[in-house]
Amino acid sequence: MQASETKLQQIIEGTKQYVVPLFQRPYSWKKSEWQMLWDDLIDLCELETPRTHFMGSIVTMPTNSIPEGVSKYLLIDGQQRLTTIFILLCALRDHAMRSEESKLSAKIDAILTNLHEDGVDYFKLQPTQVDREIFHKLIQGDELIINSSILECYSFFFKKIKQFNIDLQQLQKIICSSLSIVSVVLSANDDPYLVFESLNAKGRALTQADLIRNYFFMRIHIEQQDSIYTKYWQPMQDLLGENLTEYIRHYLTKHGIDVKQSDIYFQLKEKISQSDALSHLQDLYKFADYYSRLLSPERESNLKIRKHLIRINRLEVATVYPFLLNCYDEWKQLRISENEFVEVFRVLENFLLRRFVCNVQTRGLNRIFALLYSQVAKEVDIASDSFVERVKIVLQTKDYPKDAEFRERLLDVKMYGSNRTEKAKLILESLEESFRHREQVSFDNLTIEHIMPQTLSDVWKDRLGQDWQITYDLFIHTIGNLTLTAYNGELSNSDFLTKKKEYQNSHLELNSYFQNLNTWRREDIEFRAEKLADSIINIWQYFGDDSLQQDKKSYITGSTPKLLRMFGEEYSVKSWREVLETTLNLLADLEPEHFKEIMEQFPRLLAWEQTTFRSPRQLKNGVYFESNFSAKNIYSLCHRAIETAGLSIQDWYVETMKL
């Protein structure tokens, strides 16, 4: 048995064939595995100098093939990842053919096949019998009509390549040259089935932290191992428990490299040599204490810092931890003051919350916070007052929303549901605190209350008016319709005047707003949203330089659209109705699973039957949609559909012209 680390290119290029043994299961990877691979590839494509990325191992065994035939290897383990790579390359080849990049498509064909061989030897990978026919058709570029996991995988990657509008040659180079694997080649004396069985046994796999521990102590003298383990590793392991592996990833990332989960062990190996293993372990131990306070703010004795640790955690963005580890050390070493550290928290909260409200994609946050400390510290004396200002200067260039965009989204963005609720509660609590009560308000027993309830009674529908459906769909979860109360269960879907009586008994200033109102309709929600937006912008004030970037503001009322930009492509449009139809068609094509969620969330907008709509139009997938909406409503509906699909609003923009 021989094992070595090698580039994927060496495995898949050349004249050879990998045969999946019959004792292996058919292709079974699903969307979660495909998405993980795709995310890793996109991250590598965004780097100026792509690093090597470890993607696992494959185990092969040479077979006895006839002298003039292709060299054949049994693929004992790793067939799922290797099959996925071949399917991805098929999708990439087909995009290259469509784009008339003939050299690239021919290059990929040479990777996928043994071009000068006939029969089964033509195929470089032979899956199990169940998958073989569909896989051969895919490799040959034949029409595919059989429903299978292989076809689902191909469809996933084909749509992702189209959606991201990625450089095809760059992606091919990343796949072949930047992906690394451990290749294990068995000898004729090894039993392939026993090896497969042992590799896939149900014993608990070693974590990256386990591998790192073993690597450390192999480099520490045997007479010192017990004492060093007891003094450093064991306390760190007890302190962080299951979070130890993720801590080590964030510890490595704080040095300026965005480290993936699968790369932790290899990245640490590069940092440690025989002579300095102990010093690295001591540093790891020191930062583990800081990390434990990030995870459990109650461990922090400084009440000001603890308060902001709790607030930053409520934003649920752990990608900020590597930068905060560095800041923690600067504070503990007295290189920045307590007030500066607090101000750093405020800047980060401001940056993250504005991006959340404006639905800015989160993909780039890992890299932003991996590099932030080195960018801030590079040209700055840490002991000076300029540290916080330097943080602001860097972050304001990282898709930091300005006031106009922030205000626009505050009026109609979905604030409640899934991972948004805790952030919405933080915003509402901060609004209440902005009234500066003499005594501190306790929010422990308060929950978010929908003024227009989530379940509408006939009374509510009547009071909302003829367009109650669109009012409900667009504004039910917006900031203008949300408040805090301890009586959420009792209020339920009571009419507005009944709710108003309960609000008057509240000690919250947020609820005193309703005392002079007798209706709660669309215009009331929008008016309150405007007022709250003013306060929110004042709480999280823009910290950037207005001259550094321009807002992309779309003027809706009194304008006509001329161009829709979506997923890097441009589409000519002549009306807001065409904007809605084009947006929904693209979402249905590129994100079919998320499109189902959009249908569930907006049953009065989308349906398989047209009978309930006033002005129905049909999408390419057969679904009908209501098209009788104002320009402003269509703009909001498109935003909401993009958010529901889990996409960034940066993927969607309408260019307009004044009427």
Side-chain angles (χ1 to χ4, degrees), residues 102-192:
S102 56
K103 287 185 178 180
L104 178 59
S105 64
K107 183 177 182 180
I108 296 173
D109 265 331
I111 296 172
L112 293 171
T113 65
N114 298 311
L115 289 173
H116 304 296
E117 302 296 332
D118 299 317
V120 294
D121 285 354
Y122 176 76
F123 302 98
K124 197 165 289 186
L125 175 65
Q126 282 281 58
T128 59
Q129 290 287 350
V130 174
D131 294 325
R132 197 163 290 179
E133 180 183 358
I134 186 73
F135 184 78
H136 285 181
K137 286 180 176 293
L138 190 67
I139 295 294
Q140 292 173 312
D142 294 342
E143 184 177 354
L144 301 170
I145 56 174
I146 305 170
N147 190 20
S148 71
S149 294
I150 284 180
L151 184 54
E152 288 177 19
C153 178
Y154 172 82
S155 178
F156 173 87
F157 285 118
F158 190 86
K159 289 177 179 179
K160 286 296 181 185
I161 294 169
K162 179 181 178 182
Q163 179 179 329
F164 278 74
N165 196 30
I166 199 165
D167 184 303
L168 302 181
Q169 294 195 41
Q170 182 191 18
L171 180 57
Q172 183 271 325
K173 186 176 180 181
I174 291 290
I175 293 170
C176 293
S177 303
S178 295
L179 296 182
S180 170
I181 63 171
V182 169
S183 173
V184 179
V185 182
L186 304 182
S187 68
N189 297 324
D190 294 313
D191 185 323

Side-chain angles (χ1 to χ4, degrees), residues 634-653:
I634 287 175
Y635 188 76
S636 296
L637 282 168
C638 288
H639 271 235
R640 194 64 56 79
I642 291 288
E643 290 167 2
T644 303
L647 304 171
S648 169
I649 205 62
Q650 293 172 305
D651 295 323
W652 185 92
Y653 179 68

Side-chain angles (χ1 to χ4, degrees), residues 25-34 37 55 80-82 84-85 149-150 152-153:
R25 66 183 185 274
Y27 183 70
S28 59
W29 269 19
K30 296 296 180 185
K31 185 177 179 180
S32 58
E33 289 93 356
W34 306 333
L37 173 60
M55 64 171 298
Q80 300 291 333
R81 59 178 56 91
L82 196 58
T84 303
I85 290 294
S149 294
I150 284 180
E152 288 177 19
C153 178

Side-chain angles (χ1 to χ4, degrees), residues 45-59:
C45 285
E46 290 174 350
L47 297 175
E48 290 183 13
T49 307
R51 63 177 185 278
T52 299
H53 175 71
F54 178 68
M55 64 171 298
S57 62
I58 68 167
V59 180

Side-chain angles (χ1 to χ4, degrees), residues 2 4 40 56 124 148 160 181 186 210 252-254 343 401 433 517 586 628 639 652:
Q2 294 181 329
S4 61
D40 289 341
K124 197 165 289 186
S148 71
K160 286 296 181 185
I181 63 171
L186 304 182
D210 292 329
L252 291 169
T253 300
K254 81 181 183 65
E343 187 60 24
E433 287 178 333
L517 297 178
L586 286 168
N628 186 24
H639 271 235
W652 185 92

Side-chain angles (χ1 to χ4, degrees), residues 11 101 121 136 141 152 183 187 285 314 384 415 417 448 569 587 594 653:
I11 299 296
E101 296 186 40
D121 285 354
H136 285 181
E152 288 177 19
S183 173
S187 68
Y285 169 79
R314 293 178 71 181
S384 75
M415 285 285 191
I448 292 179
E569 300 285 340
L587 289 173
H594 284 132
Y653 179 68

